[in-house]
Amino acid sequence: MLRIAVPNKGSLSGPAAEMLHEAGYQQRRESKELRIVDPENEVEFFYLRPRDIAIYVSSGRLDIGITGRDLLIDSGADAEEILPLGFARSTFRFAAKPGTASGIEDLKGKTVATSYEGIVAGHLADSGIDASVVHLDGAVETAIELGVAEVIADVVETGTSLRNAGLEVFGEPIMKSEAIVIRRTGADGEEPKVQQFLRRLQGVLVARTYVMMDYDCRVEQLEKAVALTPGLESPTVSPLHNEGWVAVRAMVPAKEAQRIMDDLYAIGARAILTTAIHACRL
């Protein structure tokens, strides 16, 4: 069976389980379950701490895993990203009291507190900055107030918690993270079960990104309509019973669907419908 590591809690857990369910895989019914078997799909899921997943995958005991890009890099594990999943996005940045620093070059000789020591130490080394890194678990905003460090490095979403602590972000982002699928570095990338798993997840991503659009239009307006809805290869066009009319079907980006409907209506298209896509293979 294909052995897959899945986050057992935190911001990665719920979206990962939802995506796997949409991809046709069984998921645990209770949060206390640490392992389940999906015999129909020949997959065994292990629910682990997100921070540990890269270590398990790099050991070769598990074939692939879902974790965060930040957690993979921070772990230093011998594993690699093979598919971004588009959820749990975050930005990792430096922050300090106003006036402390304006860029990474101002961190020379300073102490940086973070929960992601591997990421920060590597980023500073790559930038040629000689600074100390202190590892803290949990909220690092208080490190400056308590004199543990002059600067912190942490995940920044809205920045509200930093502003409440009297801090401001500075410099360029250290990295951008999201949920990803990983495997052991150098593992067989053509293994059929792994490829099937990836195709299923890619199908979910496409289904979430596109909608199916159907509409009727006059033949003389067909080229304009097709230009608005080119589809992936080309749209499906079928003649209607009423002479001079055709029915068109094409996949369109979900975020652009309303604008496309407006444009189609403006050129005379009618009976314009959008339908959610639940599964897809390209």
Side-chain angles (χ1 to χ4, degrees):
M1 284 192 171
L2 189 67
R3 294 158 64 89
I4 302 174
V6 184
N8 67 343
K9 59 183 178 179
S11 61
L12 291 167
S13 178
E18 182 180 354
M19 177 170 278
L20 290 169
H21 176 72
E22 290 181 36
Y25 294 103
Q26 294 182 24
Q27 288 298 285
R28 61 181 181 174
R29 297 181 178 179
E30 298 181 4
S31 59
K32 293 182 180 180
E33 293 182 276
L34 301 179
R35 170 185 170 274
I36 68 165
V37 175
D38 182 350
E40 291 186 2
N41 292 301
E42 298 184 337
V43 172
E44 191 173 7
F45 291 104
F46 294 83
Y47 296 87
L48 306 170
R49 290 180 67 245
R51 277 189 171 273
D52 296 337
I53 287 175
I55 303 298
Y56 280 104
V57 172
S58 69
S59 73
R61 301 300 178 91
L62 299 180
D63 300 301
I64 51 180
I66 295 176
T67 188
R69 183 179 294 126
D70 53 349
L71 298 176
L72 168 63
I73 295 174
D74 192 60
S75 71
D78 191 20
E80 61 185 359
E81 174 180 340
I82 55 175
L83 180 67
L85 297 177
F87 63 85
R89 288 191 172 102
S90 61
T91 303
F92 203 71
R93 304 197 66 166
F94 291 114
K97 292 284 187 181
T100 302
S102 59
I104 191 171
E105 63 280 353
D106 296 325
L107 298 184
K108 292 180 180 179
K110 289 184 168 56
T111 301
V112 183
T114 183
S115 299
Y116 298 82
E117 184 178 359
I119 292 176
V120 176
H123 183 68
L124 291 171
D126 291 342
S127 302
I129 303 298
D130 183 14
S132 300
V133 179
V134 175
H135 178 84
L136 296 175
D137 288 321
V140 297
E141 292 92 341
T142 57
I144 295 176
E145 181 181 351
L146 296 177
V148 174
E150 297 101 326
V151 177
I152 65 169
D154 202 6
V155 172
V156 177
E157 294 180 359
T158 63
T160 301
S161 60
L162 292 177
R163 287 191 294 272
N164 290 341
L167 307 178
E168 64 179 12
V169 298
F170 64 88
E172 295 296 320
I174 300 169
M175 68 169 294
K176 292 184 181 293
S177 182
E178 65 180 292
I180 58 174
V181 179
I182 65 171
R183 69 179 175 199
R184 181 170 54 85
T185 303
D188 181 10
E190 301 303 319
E191 205 282 321
K193 290 182 180 179
V194 173
Q195 288 301 308
Q196 182 186 65
F197 179 78
L198 295 177
R199 281 195 300 271
R200 286 196 181 191
L201 294 190
Q202 288 168 334
V204 172
L205 292 172
V206 172
R208 290 177 173 183
T209 305
Y210 289 86
V211 294
M212 188 66 71
M213 184 169 290
D214 294 89
Y215 59 89
D216 301 339
C217 76
R218 297 284 305 175
V219 171
E220 56 266 27
Q221 297 298 327
L222 180 59
E223 290 306 315
K224 290 182 180 179
V226 168
L228 294 170
T229 60
L232 297 186
E233 280 81 26
S234 66
T236 300
V237 180
S238 305
L240 292 179
H241 179 71
N242 289 342
E243 188 175 350
W245 284 82
V246 292
V248 183
R249 162 170 280 202
M251 289 172 62
V252 302
K255 64 181 180 180
E256 299 178 19
Q258 291 295 332
R259 177 190 59 78
I260 293 172
M261 293 176 78
D262 291 338
D263 292 343
L264 287 171
Y265 192 88
I267 65 171
R270 295 295 182 265
I272 309 169
L273 307 173
T274 60
T275 308
I277 301 172
H278 296 290
C280 180
R281 294 290 186 278
L282 297 181

